[in-house]
Coordinates of all heavy atoms in Angstrom, one line a residue:
C48 N -132.5 40.7 38.8 CA -132.5 42.0 38.3 C -133.4 43.0 39.2 O -134.5 42.6 39.5 CB -133.0 42.0 36.9 SG -133.2 43.7 36.2
P49 N -132.8 44.1 39.6 CA -133.7 45.0 40.5 C -134.8 45.7 39.7 O -135.7 46.2 40.3 CB -132.6 46.0 41.0 CG -131.5 46.0 40.0 CD -131.5 44.6 39.5
L50 N -134.8 45.6 38.4 CA -135.8 46.2 37.6 C -136.9 45.3 37.2 O -138.1 45.6 37.1 CB -135.2 46.9 36.3 CG -134.1 47.9 36.6 CD1 -133.5 48.4 35.3 CD2 -134.6 49.0 37.4
C51 N -136.5 44.0 36.9 CA -137.6 43.1 36.4 C -137.6 41.7 37.2 O -138.3 40.8 36.9 CB -137.5 42.8 34.9 SG -136.1 41.8 34.5
Q52 N -136.7 41.6 38.1 CA -136.6 40.4 39.0 C -136.1 39.1 38.3 O -136.0 38.0 38.9 CB -137.9 40.1 39.7 CG -138.2 41.0 40.9 CD -138.6 42.4 40.4 OE1 -139.5 42.6 39.6 NE2 -137.9 43.4 40.9
A53 N -135.7 39.2 37.0 CA -135.2 38.0 36.3 C -133.8 37.7 36.8 O -133.1 38.5 37.3 CB -135.2 38.3 34.8
K54 N -133.5 36.4 36.5 CA -132.1 36.0 36.8 C -131.1 36.8 36.0 O -131.4 37.3 34.9 CB -131.9 34.5 36.4 CG -132.5 33.6 37.4 CD -132.0 32.2 37.1 CE -132.6 31.3 38.2 NZ -132.8 29.9 37.8
M55 N -129.9 36.9 36.5 CA -128.9 37.7 35.7 C -127.6 36.8 35.5 O -127.4 35.8 36.3 CB -128.5 38.9 36.5 CG -129.7 39.9 36.6 SD -129.2 41.6 37.0 CE -128.9 41.5 38.7
G64 N -126.3 41.2 33.6 CA -127.5 41.6 32.9 C -128.5 40.5 32.9 O -128.2 39.3 33.2
C65 N -129.8 40.9 32.6 CA -130.9 40.0 32.6 C -131.3 39.8 31.1 O -130.8 40.5 30.2 CB -132.0 40.5 33.4 SG -132.8 41.9 32.6
S66 N -132.3 38.9 30.9 CA -132.8 38.6 29.5 C -133.5 39.8 28.9 O -133.7 39.9 27.7 CB -133.7 37.4 29.6 OG -134.7 37.7 30.5
K67 N -133.9 40.8 29.7 CA -134.5 42.0 29.2 C -133.6 43.1 28.9 O -133.9 44.3 28.8 CB -135.6 42.5 30.1 CG -136.8 41.5 30.2 CD -138.0 42.2 30.8 CE -139.1 41.2 30.7 NZ -140.0 41.2 31.9
N68 N -132.3 42.8 28.9 CA -131.2 43.7 28.6 C -131.1 44.9 29.7 O -130.6 45.9 29.3 CB -131.4 44.4 27.2 CG -131.0 43.4 26.1 OD1 -130.2 42.5 26.4 ND2 -131.7 43.5 25.0
H69 N -131.5 44.7 30.9 CA -131.1 45.6 31.9 C -129.7 45.2 32.3 O -129.4 44.0 32.5 CB -132.0 45.5 33.1 CG -133.5 45.7 32.8 ND1 -134.5 44.8 33.1 CD2 -134.1 46.8 32.1 CE1 -135.6 45.4 32.7 NE2 -135.4 46.5 32.1
F71 N -125.8 46.1 34.4 CA -125.2 46.8 35.6 C -123.7 46.4 35.5 O -123.3 45.3 35.2 CB -125.8 46.4 36.9 CG -127.3 46.5 36.9 CD1 -128.0 45.4 36.5 CD2 -127.9 47.7 37.2 CE1 -129.4 45.5 36.5 CE2 -129.3 47.8 37.1 CZ -130.1 46.7 36.8
Ligands
ZN409 ZN1 -134.2 43.1 34.2

Side-chain angles (χ1 to χ4, degrees):
C48 178
L50 302 179
C51 73
Q52 285 72 51
K54 281 194 175 150
M55 295 200 283
C65 71
S66 53
K67 294 199 172 140
N68 287 332
H69 300 129
F71 310 93

